[in-house]
């Protein structure tokens, strides 16, 4: 079989790109993908994401719990409903957007957060990891509305 060299080169680049995307997923992201959660941007690219728990400068814990994760993962049904909310917001206020500041969270991260806040006045704002929270299942999302 004689395959043209440009085709082989193109196919090789595509394979490398796809393999690179999978390899760059950190451990937290791999857990989300294995659990069947979806990146919100696969449903609606217009929703903004800034995961505060990936940046010690932006959260109360002063920790990077998500190993630099930049994508918001949710159950597909939740992502679709959030997309509907974004469409409604944009139709009413075109200069505004939903910003996700936290989405799915592994129970191991919930445990770390709880331990850090246990015994402080902030303890009541962090779910006890023994019971878990809706964040652990990708059905809770923390949002705000921003310009843009």
């Amino acid at each position: 079989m004689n395959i043209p060299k440009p085709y082989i080169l193109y196919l090789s680049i595509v394979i490398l790109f796809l393999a690179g995307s999978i390899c760059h997923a950190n451990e937290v992201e791999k857990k989300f993908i294995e659990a069947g959660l979806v990146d919100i941007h696969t449903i609606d690219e217009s929703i903004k994401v800034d995961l505060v728990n990936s940046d010690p400068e932006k959260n109360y814990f002063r920790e990077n719990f998500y190993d630099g994760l930049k994508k918001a993962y949710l159950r597909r049904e939740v992502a679709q409903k959030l997309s509907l909310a974004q469409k409604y917001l944009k139709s009413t206020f075109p200069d505004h957007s939903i910003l996700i500041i936290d989405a799915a969270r592994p129970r191991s991260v919930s445990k770390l957060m709880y331990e850090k806040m246990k015994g402080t006045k902030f303890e009541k704002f962090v779910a006890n990891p023994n019971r878990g929270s809706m964040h652990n299942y990708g059905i809770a999302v923390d949002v705000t509305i921003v310009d843009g």
Side-chain angles (χ1 to χ4, degrees), residues 1-13:
M1 178 179 240
N2 193 7
I3 301 172
K5 287 183 182 179
Y7 180 75
I8 293 173
L9 179 61
Y10 173 76
L11 187 58
S12 298
I13 291 170

Side-chain angles (χ1 to χ4, degrees), residues 30-39 73-77:
K30 287 177 186 174
K31 287 180 184 179
F32 293 154
I33 294 167
E34 288 170 6
L37 302 180
V38 298
D39 171 8
Y73 282 86
L74 297 164
R75 288 194 46 149
R76 179 171 298 280
E77 301 87 354

Side-chain angles (χ1 to χ4, degrees), residues 32 76 82 102 127 132 139 148:
F32 293 154
R76 179 171 298 280
L82 194 59
D102 201 14
I139 55 176

Side-chain angles (χ1 to χ4, degrees), residues 23-34 66-67 106:
C23 291
H24 283 103
N26 68 29
E27 292 306 311
V28 174
E29 188 171 9
K30 287 177 186 174
K31 287 180 184 179
F32 293 154
I33 294 167
E34 288 170 6
Y66 298 148
D67 192 25

Side-chain angles (χ1 to χ4, degrees), residues 9 20 27 35 44-45 49 53-54 69 75 82 101 103 109 122-123 129:
L9 179 61
E27 292 306 311
D44 191 328
E45 291 183 357
V49 175
N53 289 319
S54 264
L69 180 69
R75 288 194 46 149
L82 194 59
I101 56 176
V109 171
F122 300 107
E123 180 178 352

